[in-house]
Amino acid sequence: MTIHSVVIQKLLSTNAQVGRRVAAHHLKEFTYGFRNKMAIIDSDKTLICMRSACNFMASLARHNGRFMFINTNPLFDEIFDLMTKKVGSYSPSTNSLWRTGGFLTNSLSPKKFRSRNKKLVFGPTQPPDCIFIVDTERKSSVINEAFKLQIPVVALVDSAMPLDVYKRIAYPVPANHSVQFVYLFCNLITKTLLHEKAKSDAANPDIDAQMEEAPRKGKGKTYLDKVDVTVVLYDNLAPLPQDIEETKKLLDKLVVLKFNGSQGRNMCFDGPKSAIDICDGLTYLDLIINQIETLNSKYGSRVPLLLFNKDDIHDSSLKVLEKYSKSSVEVHTFKQGEDRELKSLGEYYSKEEVHPFDDVDVFRLLMTGGTLDSLLSQGKEYILVLKSDNVATVLDPNILNHLMINDIEYCMEVTPSNSFNLMLPTTKFKLREIGGDQDKHLKDNFKLIDTTNMWVSLRAIKRFVDTVEVRQKKPSFSKDTAAGPAIKFFDNVFGVSVPESRFLPLDATSDLLLLQSDLYTCREGVLTRNPARTNPLNPVIDLGPEFEKFGDFQSRFRSIPSIIELDSLMVRGDVWFGANITLKGQVTIAAKPGLKLEIPDGVTIENKEINDPADI
């Protein structure tokens, strides 16, 4: 007996296939026929839909998504209590299990009202990323409100569900909501979320401990609490000297170091992220080299590029550099395995790490083969270190000029978080208040986000190397901030609050859709947003699990749609895009399980929800 047969028998034992006496026309695709005047739901279709729903919830769990579980049927109370306790969303004091039918679109201010439901509780103020509903027939109001907020819904549907409600469920699971089937489905969801949580804990074993390290009334302070960072608004920086020769002398003191260790495995891309085409056929590495070429050509300077490659991507990076064999940019490559200590250091970190190196690792790299002494002998004074794939990075001489004028030894580029606006020209922050860009789910806990671009004085690094035995350092990478413990050894620690337009990390294919669209163009290695877009914010792009892999993303778009007037886009299911498509306003495209939805060439979709070809 095959595994498929065993699973189907398990479904049949829960009476999942028993429908209603009526089968709505739009749900006949899930029915097998009628028996004793009762609709029979196709168990194979149920299994396919369950798999799609679990894959979707797993993809959200990988990105620390928030789930809202809704139930008002007393028969399922024990099942829901058990599920929410296991997945960690249950709290006896707050009862985060929502028992209410809606209130999603209500104001966040508290409201008093009467209800017979004694367990009525308002949940968190932040909206969920997914809503899970079992007793769907009682919860049409929640589904309608979730649709208004563009929140995907996973729900059980029966054969008689009305079309207007059914169309608004992103991941319907056709089945009879018997107690046995609800237990089976909730058990499957629980195992899926626990499996993703276990993988996340294995990749980030210390994340919970780090969050618990916050100082309590002055006790247990670390260097994160002791280091003050004076942050200056970029607009308040002094302008460059008008004399080109003065700017040339300034740039001749600069060297750029790019850590090329971030791989595209989360997008199933075979190679470094810096080799992915992001805009106008150019890679991130192309952008950096083009910027250096532009500066050297404009001012007659000689800014070199140091490229540090991890062992497993060194060869592929060299292939990318072959086209620059005749470039005027002086490129020096380093390989992790060329230094025994650097090679052993890499063994402490996962291959999926976005920023596997902190400041001390940078200093150790510069010690390799006397690189630091060689740079100082050439008159170099500052190094710009690019640790991540922030594709909107700008090699800005204005920042270098500010460092030289004020004799600053260490400077990080930061940008305000979603919950904070930097208003004063100069403000002091504790290092703990600055979060790393990889902690997307923790951004609201910080006032500023570190773009991981840092400017450091080479002479200060030399002093640090001579006074501290960095060779004995063990890995101490902190996920709270990209800056490591070495920052406390510098006399002047500054930050420059750069515009948000300079912070575009490449983390997923949703980011690629933004970058490869007509929203951005590239000029002299700098990404520029299309002035035709009046909205200062970028569209919110949410592509489903079917688009996670780089190859799938490329194959599902004949050409990237025009999104100049787009506010939000959510895509779920087996969706394929034609050429010359224009998207405007709020667009939701959700193909039903088992349906291949093709968006034809040349169409314009504005403020629509697309579920099948008839909706286009």
Side-chain angles (χ1 to χ4, degrees):
M1 182 177 292
T2 64
I3 295 179
H4 179 76
S5 301
V6 174
V7 174
I8 293 296
Q9 283 193 1
K10 184 66 175 179
L11 283 178
L12 294 176
S13 68
T14 63
N15 293 324
Q17 78 282 1
V18 179
R20 300 291 186 92
R21 290 184 177 274
V22 178
H25 178 74
H26 52 278
L27 287 164
K28 286 186 177 179
E29 61 175 308
F30 298 122
T31 58
Y32 192 79
F34 286 85
R35 184 181 180 88
N36 296 331
K37 298 182 180 180
M38 299 290 290
I40 303 300
I41 298 173
D42 192 334
S43 297
D44 283 325
K45 299 288 182 65
T46 300
L47 185 59
I48 293 173
C49 294
M50 288 175 63
R51 185 181 295 115
S52 298
C54 288
N55 288 339
F56 167 67
M57 297 183 73
S59 67
L60 283 182
R62 284 194 292 271
H63 297 88
N64 299 284
R66 296 182 294 269
F67 296 94
M68 175 178 173
F69 300 94
I70 296 181
N71 167 50
T72 54
N73 191 335
L75 292 175
F76 308 143
D77 276 353
E78 187 176 350
I79 299 174
F80 265 62
D81 287 347
L82 184 62
M83 175 176 65
T84 51
K85 284 180 182 178
K86 285 189 175 181
V87 300
S89 63
Y90 179 85
S91 172
S93 58
T94 62
N95 189 7
S96 59
L97 175 63
W98 287 53
R99 296 291 305 276
T100 65
F103 310 113
L104 291 175
T105 53
N106 284 3
S107 170
L108 297 181
S109 60
K111 287 179 166 54
K112 293 183 179 180
F113 55 89
R114 295 181 179 180
S115 174
R116 294 180 180 178
N117 188 347
K118 301 303 181 182
K119 295 184 178 181
L120 186 61
V121 177
F122 278 109
T125 57
Q126 289 183 323
D129 298 309
C130 172
I131 295 177
F132 178 83
I133 304 175
V134 175
D135 49 340
T136 316
E137 60 183 6
R138 307 186 186 189
K139 287 290 150 284
S140 59
S141 61
V142 177
I143 295 172
N144 292 334
E145 292 183 347
F147 174 75
K148 294 178 183 178
L149 295 176
Q150 298 288 301
I151 300 175
V153 175
V154 175
L156 299 186
V157 299
D158 57 43
S159 58
M161 172 165 287
L163 177 61
D164 60 331
V165 179
Y166 170 76
K167 289 178 63 176
R168 296 182 173 185
I169 299 176
Y171 289 90
V173 178
N176 174 23
H177 51 275
S178 63
V179 175
Q180 295 88 346
F181 180 76
V182 170
Y183 176 80
L184 174 66
F185 192 30
C186 289
N187 187 42
L188 183 61
I189 294 296
T190 301
K191 290 183 178 179
T192 299
L193 297 182
L194 290 179
H195 176 67
E196 293 300 331
K197 185 177 184 297
K199 291 199 299 184
S200 177
D201 291 343
N204 306 292
D206 297 325
I207 188 67
D208 294 331
Q210 291 168 13
M211 293 304 297
E212 292 174 359
E213 285 179 359
R216 296 190 181 99
K217 298 181 180 180
K219 296 181 180 180
K221 290 188 176 181
T222 66
Y223 74 95
L224 295 173
D225 309 289
K226 299 176 182 178
V227 177
D228 288 321
V229 181
T230 301
V231 179
V232 181
L233 289 176
Y234 176 80
D235 293 338
N236 293 337
L237 298 182
L240 282 175
Q242 294 184 354
D243 187 352
I244 294 182
E245 186 63 28
E246 290 296 322
T247 304
K248 174 186 179 302
K249 292 180 181 179
L250 191 71
L251 289 172
D252 280 338
K253 298 177 182 180
L254 176 66
V255 59
V256 179
L257 169 63
K258 170 71 179 85
F259 274 106
N260 200 29
S262 181
Q263 296 208 43
R265 283 198 178 95
N266 58 332
M267 293 184 283
C268 295
F269 178 78
D270 188 16
K273 285 185 182 178
S274 59
I276 297 177
D277 291 342
I278 56 174
C279 184
D280 299 338
L282 299 175
T283 67
Y284 176 50
L285 203 54
D286 293 334
L287 301 185
I288 296 299
I289 293 179
N290 287 351
Q291 287 191 51
I292 297 177
E293 280 182 333
T294 300
L295 290 175
N296 290 345
S297 175
K298 182 177 181 179
Y299 298 104
S301 56
R302 297 191 62 184
V303 178
L305 173 64
L306 309 182
L307 187 65
F308 177 77
N309 299 320
K310 292 183 68 176
D311 286 342
D312 49 356
I313 62 174
H314 181 68
D315 294 337
S316 58
S317 298
L318 292 181
K319 291 181 180 179
V320 175
L321 291 174
E322 288 178 356
K323 58 182 175 181
Y324 294 106
S325 57
K326 298 181 180 180
S327 172
S328 60
V329 178
E330 187 179 340
V331 181
H332 301 278
T333 59
F334 296 84
K335 185 179 179 182
Q336 181 179 332
E338 292 175 349
D339 185 272
R340 184 178 60 185
E341 294 178 0
L342 286 171
K343 182 176 182 179
S344 62
L345 179 68
E347 297 174 357
Y348 285 91
Y349 301 101
S350 166
K351 292 183 179 180
E352 299 298 333
E353 282 283 6
V354 179
H355 313 299
F357 298 95
D358 64 12
D359 297 353
V360 179
D361 305 323
V362 175
F363 306 154
R364 180 186 283 106
L365 171 63
L366 293 176
M367 293 164 55
T368 304
T371 302
L372 179 58
D373 292 331
S374 175
L375 292 174
L376 289 170
S377 66
Q378 296 172 26
K380 304 298 181 183
E381 295 188 19
Y382 279 91
I383 183 169
L384 169 58
V385 182
L386 310 177
K387 294 185 187 179
S388 69
D389 292 316
N390 172 24
V391 296
T393 293
V394 177
L395 310 185
D396 198 329
N398 287 285
I399 298 179
L400 178 61
N401 184 46
H402 178 77
L403 305 182
M404 298 288 291
I405 292 175
N406 297 279
D407 194 24
I408 296 173
E409 294 183 347
Y410 187 105
C411 177
M412 58 175 63
E413 292 184 27
V414 298
T415 188
S417 68
N418 298 332
S419 59
F420 182 77
N421 291 318
L422 190 67
M423 302 299 294
L424 299 176
T426 303
T427 310
K428 279 194 175 183
F429 297 89
K430 294 295 183 183
L431 194 58
R432 180 172 289 282
E433 297 177 301
I434 304 175
D437 77 317
Q438 72 273 25
D439 290 325
K440 289 185 174 181
H441 59 294
L442 300 176
K443 280 188 176 181
D444 291 338
N445 296 346
F446 302 99
K447 294 182 177 179
L448 300 172
I449 301 300
D450 187 354
T451 67
T452 72
N453 295 346
M454 70 175 185
W455 305 70
V456 192
S457 166
L458 290 174
R459 296 190 181 278
I461 294 176
K462 176 66 174 176
R463 185 185 72 239
F464 174 79
V465 169
D466 291 340
T467 56
V468 180
E469 190 61 34
V470 299
R471 292 185 182 275
Q472 295 180 357
K473 175 220 175 237
K474 294 181 180 179
S476 58
F477 178 78
S478 170
K479 291 182 183 297
D480 285 336
T481 178
I487 192 174
K488 62 184 178 182
F489 291 96
F490 294 94
D491 295 333
N492 297 324
V493 178
F494 271 70
V496 175
S497 179
V498 298
E500 293 184 21
S501 59
R502 292 195 181 186
F503 184 54
L504 287 172
L506 177 58
D507 294 327
T509 53
S510 298
D511 302 321
L512 272 180
L513 178 57
L514 278 175
L515 297 167
Q516 294 183 358
S517 70
D518 56 352
L519 191 60
Y520 283 95
T521 56
C522 179
R523 183 179 180 184
E524 297 179 343
V526 178
L527 288 180
T528 305
R529 207 166 77 149
N530 194 326
R533 181 172 177 81
T534 57
N535 190 337
L537 301 177
N538 279 342
V540 177
I541 307 294
D542 182 10
L543 301 180
E546 297 81 6
F547 292 80
E548 279 187 352
K549 297 181 180 179
F550 180 75
D552 292 339
F553 171 82
Q554 285 188 311
S555 62
R556 289 179 178 272
F557 288 97
R558 287 187 59 191
S559 68
I560 301 298
S562 172
I563 60 173
I564 296 295
E565 300 179 48
L566 179 68
D567 295 324
S568 66
L569 171 66
M570 184 175 72
V571 183
R572 293 291 183 269
D574 190 11
V575 180
W576 299 76
F577 290 84
N580 303 318
I581 295 172
T582 302
L583 304 177
K584 298 180 180 181
Q586 297 183 350
V587 178
T588 299
I589 304 176
K592 298 303 180 183
L595 173 66
K596 180 178 181 180
L597 180 56
E598 297 183 2
I599 309 301
D601 297 345
V603 301
T604 298
I605 303 176
E606 182 174 3
N607 293 320
K608 274 189 177 182
E609 179 189 9
I610 307 297
N611 298 114
D612 55 59
D615 297 330
I616 301 175

